[in-house]
Amino acid sequence: MASTSSSITSISKGLPILSQSTVNPHAPLGKWLLTTSSLVFGMVHIGGVTRLTKSGLSMTDWKPLGSRPPITLDEWTVEFERYKQYPEWEQRQNMTLDEFKYIFYWEWGHRMMGRVVGLVYGAGWAYFTWLHRPKISADSIPKAITSAIPPGYQSRLAVLFAMGGTQGLVGWWMVKSGLGEDRFGDRNEIRVSPYRLASHLGMAVGTYSLLVWTGLGALSFPVDRYAMAAKEKSAETLSMLQQYTKNLSPNALRHAQKVRGGVLTTVGLTGLTILSGAFVAGNDAGNAYNTYPLMNDQWIPLDDMVDPDKVPKWRNVFETTATVQWNHRVLGTATALSAVGVAGFGLLHPMGRASLAAMGRSSTTPQVRRGLVSLGTAATAQMSLGIATLLNYVPINLAATHQLGSLVVLTCGLYTAHS
């Protein structure tokens, strides 16, 4: 009876993240991964501002190891003259040297931050692979651990390293689409290919998501995978996750699975909405149809959604202003409704009541409940921010915050699904 009571007491706290290295030997790795993800978060923000300030084509070459910016007047003059040889200059011939410096520094800062992220990640991976050894204490779970990298995680770390390296190449591939000689004489504003912009943003968001997921996995690895010490020799040794699951009724377990499925659906919708946002940005579609909820007094402006000159027709989905914006509106709304719906289903269902948590029988742990509240709140705020950005003709401050908001919603979803 004493063992059962102790078990209920431990699982009543849910499935906590263990961030102290005295308890979790993998905690240093998890914290390093989440720190790296925060750098990627910042890099996505800087990339968004670089696009919004139309700075992305200011650097017309790419060096894998980077370079310092121009310093002297002569160096700046040489760089400015190089910029004038490319198509964008045709449309920005009133630009002064000081204005060029402003856009150059945004692009240079974005590129150099990417290299800083790569350095932080590469150095950390090497350190945890070859140098770091966990300090085992009396509270560590378990005690026979020789590496901070959990079993099976080296392959994930290798994939992350490859994704980071590829991101730089994808970024230059994107920039080149706005520098080609075929762009001279364009009537429309010179911009990078929306397809390549979506690829670049999608790679960044994918890298960020995998960093967050892997970091959370390292911080919760003992809870999920390691057997807890049994109070009695005859007692069954299970991980905290197994103990919690075993304590749930069949109805509660089914409810928990449905909640997790709903959260994962929301995460998927968030990802699609982010990608559709890249096409909105790439086509400058946010500066049209600046009303809500109707578009030119119509729910679906069919006459504007198909350009007969675009061949093949599927290009309208990604290149026609009305279609691109309508897609983003629908996906954004679906994401918000999904987030609020799954939050309500998880928090208000009888099987998910907080009162059951004290006995370890609630289908939603305290961690999941916090995640659901955060997810529903963040998604609602993000939709409101998107509407405000549209109605105000996409000011830089609102647009940059809106892009960050999408990563906040994504983070809340990843945390909740992982919990």
Side-chain angles (χ1 to χ4, degrees):
M1 291 295 293
S3 177
T4 301
S5 176
S6 175
S7 175
I8 293 296
T9 301
S10 63
I11 62 178
S12 67
K13 297 180 180 179
L15 303 172
I17 283 178
L18 305 178
S19 60
Q20 296 181 343
S21 57
T22 55
V23 177
N24 178 5
H26 309 301
L29 179 84
K31 288 188 281 189
W32 161 69
L33 286 168
L34 293 182
T35 298
T36 306
S37 75
S38 69
L39 293 176
V40 175
F41 188 99
M43 191 175 71
V44 171
H45 174 60
I46 292 177
V49 176
T50 300
R51 174 183 53 76
L52 289 164
T53 55
K54 302 178 181 178
S55 305
L57 299 176
S58 59
M59 292 182 70
T60 56
D61 61 354
W62 183 69
K63 299 176 181 177
L65 298 180
S67 61
R68 67 171 177 80
I71 297 176
T72 66
L73 178 60
D74 288 343
E75 290 175 341
W76 276 113
T77 301
V78 169
E79 193 66 43
F80 195 22
E81 290 302 317
R82 182 184 295 119
Y83 170 74
K84 291 179 180 180
Q85 298 173 21
Y86 289 87
E88 189 177 52
W89 172 250
E90 284 189 342
Q91 301 178 354
R92 306 183 74 172
Q93 293 189 22
N94 293 327
M95 182 186 297
T96 66
L97 180 59
D98 285 340
E99 291 170 336
F100 174 72
K101 289 180 180 180
Y102 176 78
I103 64 172
F104 185 94
Y105 272 127
W106 273 114
E107 175 65 10
W108 181 83
H110 179 52
R111 294 189 188 191
M112 292 309 296
M113 187 168 184
R115 293 178 174 91
V116 168
V117 173
L119 182 61
V120 169
Y121 184 85
W125 186 24
Y127 170 72
F128 284 110
T129 299
W130 289 300
L131 298 178
H132 179 82
R133 292 295 176 265
K135 296 179 181 179
I136 306 301
S137 70
D139 297 324
S140 295
I141 309 170
K143 297 180 172 54
I145 294 296
T146 59
S147 174
I149 301 177
Y153 271 50
Q154 274 288 10
S155 58
R156 292 197 202 183
L157 300 180
V159 168
L160 280 165
F161 186 77
M163 291 176 71
T166 304
Q167 176 70 344
L169 296 174
V170 173
W172 176 238
W173 175 64
M174 174 192 70
V175 170
K176 284 183 67 176
S177 67
L179 299 176
E181 292 188 4
D182 60 317
R183 304 300 299 274
F184 281 109
D186 271 15
R187 294 182 179 180
N188 297 323
E189 181 182 348
I190 300 292
R191 291 190 293 265
V192 299
S193 162
Y195 299 96
R196 298 188 188 189
L197 175 61
S199 299
H200 188 50
L201 179 60
M203 178 70 78
V205 171
T207 303
Y208 173 79
S209 300
L210 187 55
L211 280 167
V212 171
W213 189 266
T214 307
L216 291 173
L219 291 175
S220 60
F221 199 84
V223 170
D224 296 343
R225 303 288 290 275
Y226 294 148
M228 306 297 291
K231 295 290 184 180
E232 302 172 3
K233 290 185 178 180
S234 60
E236 188 177 8
T237 55
L238 302 171
S239 69
M240 288 184 68
L241 175 60
Q242 290 171 324
Q243 289 181 28
Y244 195 95
T245 304
K246 184 180 179 181
N247 206 45
L248 294 178
S249 67
N251 286 338
L253 188 58
R254 280 193 294 271
H255 178 248
Q257 292 169 338
K258 290 179 180 179
V259 170
R260 191 169 191 269
V263 172
L264 290 174
T265 298
T266 303
V267 170
L269 285 170
T270 304
L272 288 175
T273 305
I274 291 172
L275 288 179
S276 75
F279 284 99
V280 170
N283 290 282
D284 202 23
N287 283 308
Y289 307 99
N290 299 94
T291 58
Y292 190 87
L294 302 181
M295 298 173 64
N296 276 4
D297 299 321
Q298 301 176 75
W299 288 105
I300 306 176
L302 289 175
D303 293 339
D304 298 341
M305 294 178 74
V306 179
D307 182 348
D309 295 331
K310 290 198 187 304
V311 180
K313 295 298 183 184
W314 60 259
R315 289 176 53 197
N316 285 280
V317 177
F318 304 105
E319 298 178 28
T320 300
T321 297
T323 309
V324 167
Q325 192 189 117
W326 188 84
N327 290 342
H328 191 58
R329 288 184 183 217
V330 171
L331 284 168
T333 302
T335 300
L337 291 176
S338 176
V340 172
V342 73
F345 180 67
L347 296 170
L348 302 178
H349 193 279
M351 290 292 100
R353 290 197 304 266
S355 58
L356 293 175
M359 299 179 288
R361 297 183 182 278
S362 174
S363 57
T364 55
T365 65
Q367 294 76 26
V368 170
R369 294 180 69 82
R370 286 195 293 269
L372 289 172
V373 171
S374 300
L375 179 60
T377 302
T380 303
Q382 171 67 353
M383 182 175 173
S384 301
L385 186 57
I387 294 170
T389 303
L390 176 71
L391 296 180
N392 287 279
Y393 292 84
V394 198
I396 291 177
N397 58 342
L398 282 179
T401 306
H402 183 52
Q403 179 171 281
L404 282 184
S406 66
L407 290 184
V408 172
V409 176
L410 181 66
T411 306
C412 291
L414 291 171
Y415 169 79
T416 308
H418 200 283
S419 298

